[in-house]
């Protein structure tokens, strides 16, 4: 059974990201599963820090992008989610290719949601793990 309460298609999600920080960094939403959202970011000149490694902040942007989109599609119509807290543990550097993140819910409540975002390099090795807490706001 799907956790999505709103229609979530790849075309719609990627269109919503156009002309935002998400598209500027080359982030793409690649898969919508029944209980997860997956996306990726390229490791290139836009996303690396001066020493040639994927910038840790970009990993956090990927995590918050995936978790925020997921939270907003997992809440009732009219409700919206906003970031409350995020943390990230950087486990391995990425210097090329793509880093792919998968967001899965830890908790979906009425007033908060918590999402776990696991990121891996092209070899499937963990690069970063992040946890995002979202505040859920009722319609006004």
């Amino acid at each position: 059974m799907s956790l999505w309460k709103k229609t979530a298609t790849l075309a719609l999600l990627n269109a919503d990201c156009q002309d935002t920080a998400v598209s500027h960094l080359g982030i793409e939403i690649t898969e919508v599963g029944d209980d997860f959202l997956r996306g990726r970011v390229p490791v290139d000149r836009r996303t690396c820090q001066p020493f040639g490694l994927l910038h840790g902040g970009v990993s956090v942007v990927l995590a918050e992008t995936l978790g925020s989109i997921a939270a907003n599609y997992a809440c009732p119509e009219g409700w919206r989610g906003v970031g409350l807290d995020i943390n990230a543990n950087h486990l391995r550097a990425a210097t090329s290719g793509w880093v792919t993140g998968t967001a899965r819910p830890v908790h979906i409540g009425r007033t908060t949601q918590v999402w776990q975002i696991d990121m891996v390099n092209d070899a499937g090795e963990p690069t970063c793990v992040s946890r995002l807490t979202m505040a859920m706001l009722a319609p006004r």
Side-chain angles (χ1 to χ4, degrees):
M1 179 177 203
S2 178
L3 62 88
W4 311 119
K5 297 193 190 272
K6 301 169 188 165
T7 302
T9 67
L10 289 179
L12 177 64
L13 299 179
N14 282 303
D16 285 347
C17 293
Q18 288 306 304
D19 298 320
T20 68
V22 176
S23 64
H24 177 72
L25 292 172
I27 293 172
E28 304 170 352
I29 308 303
T30 59
E31 189 175 357
V32 180
D34 284 343
D35 66 346
F36 70 91
L37 183 67
R38 184 168 291 134
R40 65 186 191 162
V41 66
V43 181
D44 64 19
R45 62 179 179 73
R46 296 171 291 178
T47 60
C48 284
Q49 40 97 314
F51 307 107
L53 309 175
L54 180 66
H55 194 293
V58 172
S59 294
V60 176
V61 171
L62 177 61
E64 186 143 5
T65 297
L66 294 173
S68 292
I69 290 172
N72 277 285
Y73 279 84
C75 67
E77 195 63 48
W79 285 69
R80 64 189 174 105
V82 295
L84 188 62
D85 182 66
I86 189 164
N87 71 50
N89 297 104
H90 304 288
L91 307 174
R92 176 179 283 108
T95 58
S96 64
W98 293 85
V99 167
T100 300
T102 303
R104 293 185 190 276
V106 174
H107 166 75
I108 297 183
R110 188 178 59 80
T111 60
T112 61
Q113 292 185 15
V114 178
W115 290 82
Q116 172 83 24
I117 303 93
D118 296 308
M119 291 159 263
V120 299
N121 61 20
D122 287 334
E125 301 167 318
T127 59
C128 183
V129 295
S130 182
R131 185 162 286 194
L132 173 66
T133 302
M134 300 289 292
M136 305 314 295
L137 305 178
R140 292 184 176 187

